[in-house]
Amino acid sequence: MSSRFMPASRKKAKARVALAGPSGSGKTLTGLKLLYTLTGAQTVADGIERIAFVDTERDSADKYAVNPELPGVGDMTPEEAGGYGFSKISPVRYDPRQLVELIDEAALAGFTGFMLDSASHYWFGPGGILELVDLFARNHGGRSMDGWKDVRPIERAYIEALMSFPGHVVVCLRSKQKYEITEGSDGKKQVSKLGMQPDQRDGLEYEFDLVGDLDQDHYLRVTKSRCVALSDQVIHKPDAELGHQLLDWLDNGEPPKDLDWPKALAACASREDLSVLWQRAQRLGKTQKLRDAFNARGAEIAA
């Protein structure tokens, strides 16, 4: 009896990293260090060419940048220049549909690293997921569940855009310490720390290969890792070494195969599914070749 199951094999991959922490914990700097290592950037000019940065934190990333127009700065390493090179955009509204456009733009421009600092704004900020839920709920007479029904495909599309970016991805998340009041053995009330609570929907961490919490003392506690060597690590002021460990793990495998596009198209059951797949094709520069197949599948779904 034939089977559709095939032997699994390890494939080379790109990093998917989430860094959570309060303001001042070092998320931005850690993310830049990681992307410099992961993309192989050596100089300020390399970083500008390879790293696309979406800054939602009132241009706070500029504190880690240098002026590349100064003589000789482009050829310097970050250590020599006293800062990093990267290409940045600072949106003022946080509609996740616009974030998908930025991710696509970065992919088409050939950036090999993408940093979002922070994704929390696309959750609670102006135009973000929670605001969209309220907007769609009003269109349904105030029914919150109907609002979520309309917004879930939008949320899935932006997560799919991040995960299918053809390069390394680092996402920062705002977080705050979560506490619980409990009763001790002596009957007295006491406050217990429960850990960091990111400002983002529950379960987002499942999408990433590496998830870590940074605290005010700049300790990174790895809370999830598909790379066994990094599981449960506690690292003070993480630097390029973390990137090298991650890169060694990512490069251990066969080159990835192209997506089976006919099968992926056949699996699309709605216009929303087709739109998400089209965005993936855009990122990979395959829309011209696949346009007729997408149009044909769209007509089938409409019928």
Side-chain angles (χ1 to χ4, degrees), residues 51-80:
I51 299 171
F53 195 119
V54 177
D55 183 0
T56 69
E57 298 282 356
R58 299 181 183 272
D59 294 319
S60 64
D62 292 350
K63 297 179 177 67
Y64 303 98
V66 293
N67 184 355
E69 297 181 0
L70 293 175
V73 167
D75 295 327
M76 294 181 183
T77 65
E79 291 76 18
E80 293 169 339

Side-chain angles (χ1 to χ4, degrees), residues 12-255:
K12 291 184 179 181
K14 302 297 183 182
R16 300 292 183 260
V17 178
L19 302 172
S23 176
S25 59
K27 299 186 297 298
T28 305
L29 183 57
T30 300
L32 285 170
K33 288 179 178 179
L34 278 175
L35 281 178
Y36 254 72
T37 302
L38 292 168
T39 63
Q42 299 290 328
T43 65
V44 169
D46 288 341
I48 292 172
E49 179 182 326
R50 302 180 192 188
I51 299 171
F53 195 119
V54 177
D55 183 0
T56 69
E57 298 282 356
R58 299 181 183 272
D59 294 319
S60 64
D62 292 350
K63 297 179 177 67
Y64 303 98
V66 293
N67 184 355
E69 297 181 0
L70 293 175
V73 167
D75 295 327
M76 294 181 183
T77 65
E79 291 76 18
E80 293 169 339
Y84 291 81
F86 48 93
S87 296
K88 195 194 75 161
I89 189 168
S90 300
V92 294
R93 288 188 63 78
Y94 309 111
D95 188 320
R97 291 167 293 190
Q98 294 173 357
L99 177 59
V100 171
E101 294 175 2
L102 294 177
I103 296 169
D104 288 344
E105 184 178 333
L108 292 172
F111 289 101
T112 55
F114 184 87
M115 185 161 171
L116 173 57
D117 186 9
S118 69
S120 296
H121 288 79
Y122 287 93
W123 176 251
F124 64 69
I129 293 290
L130 296 182
E131 192 171 285
L132 285 177
V133 170
D134 290 341
L135 175 64
F136 283 109
R138 287 196 294 272
N139 294 337
H140 290 290
R143 297 189 297 271
S144 177
M145 289 303 297
D146 288 331
W148 277 110
K149 183 178 178 181
D150 287 337
V151 173
R152 284 300 186 200
I154 296 173
E155 185 180 33
R156 286 198 302 270
Y158 108 78
I159 293 173
E160 167 63 21
L162 280 172
M163 295 303 112
S164 62
F165 178 77
H168 303 285
V169 174
V170 174
V171 172
C172 296
L173 300 166
R174 283 188 176 187
S175 66
K176 51 185 175 291
Q177 186 71 53
K178 189 175 181 181
Y179 298 91
E180 181 180 52
I181 298 177
T182 59
E183 188 173 297
S185 56
D186 57 0
K188 293 182 179 180
K189 301 291 184 183
Q190 60 185 29
V191 178
S192 301
K193 286 186 179 182
L194 298 180
M196 305 304 291
Q197 182 67 33
D199 281 326
Q200 186 54 253
R201 76 166 175 86
D202 290 339
L204 183 64
E205 66 275 11
Y206 295 125
E207 308 291 342
F208 295 90
D209 299 317
L210 182 73
V211 181
D213 288 337
L214 280 154
D215 62 23
Q216 296 285 13
D217 295 320
H218 314 303
Y219 280 94
L220 174 70
R221 289 169 172 81
V222 176
T223 57
K224 175 204 168 176
S225 177
R226 293 188 175 117
C227 173
V228 176
L230 293 173
S231 295
D232 302 319
Q233 290 282 331
V234 179
I235 307 166
H236 188 228
K237 294 184 178 180
D239 54 18
E241 177 59 28
L242 174 60
H244 286 302
Q245 287 182 277
L246 190 56
L247 198 58
D248 287 345
W249 174 72
L250 293 165
D251 283 345
N252 180 21
E254 302 173 5

